[in-house]
Amino acid sequence: AHGGVELGPNKGRILEFSKNETMHGEVTVTGDKFQIALLDKDMKPVALADQTLTAVTGDRDNPTKLEVAKGPKGFLIPVIKPGEWLILQYKDSPKAKTITARLEYNTATCEACSKAEWLCECKPEK
């Protein structure tokens, strides 16, 4: 689906990490890593503490688990191949329920806004 992607304060892709929009993940790329910053309901940064994140990619029948590290601004994950899906499982605390978020890493350039499709700034098509 072209357009309609929600972008965060750092122009990264917003993924929902809660059922009530109180926690978001903003996905950006720095070098060869995805950086996933946590943001509250007002899109303000949230410090990492007990939160956990797991990440997988690849074929559904043969998924590849990715290494997740904590950095100064959020979680760090190796960038996946263009066209693959990044499946993230977020937990706010060890006993919290898991929230799953998905991102298709489509690096094709949008003709209208000249951004990568996964960061397209076009308004949603009606």
Side-chain angles (χ1 to χ4, degrees), residues 13-50:
R13 174 77 169 265
I14 293 295
L15 298 177
E16 193 58 44
F17 283 166
S18 64
K19 296 288 185 194
N20 58 3
E21 297 198 19
T22 57
M23 183 63 69
H24 310 279
E26 182 179 17
V27 183
T28 56
V29 173
T30 303
D32 62 349
K33 301 277 186 201
F34 284 116
Q35 181 168 296
I36 302 167
L38 297 180
L39 303 172
D40 67 14
K41 64 180 174 54
D42 298 318
M43 296 295 177
K44 302 292 183 206
V46 173
L48 289 183
D50 293 337

Side-chain angles (χ1 to χ4, degrees), residues 5-9 11-14 26 43 118-121:
V5 171
E6 185 178 1
L7 299 179
K11 296 292 185 198
R13 174 77 169 265
I14 293 295
E26 182 179 17
M43 296 295 177
W118 76 281
L119 295 171
C120 177
E121 293 182 342

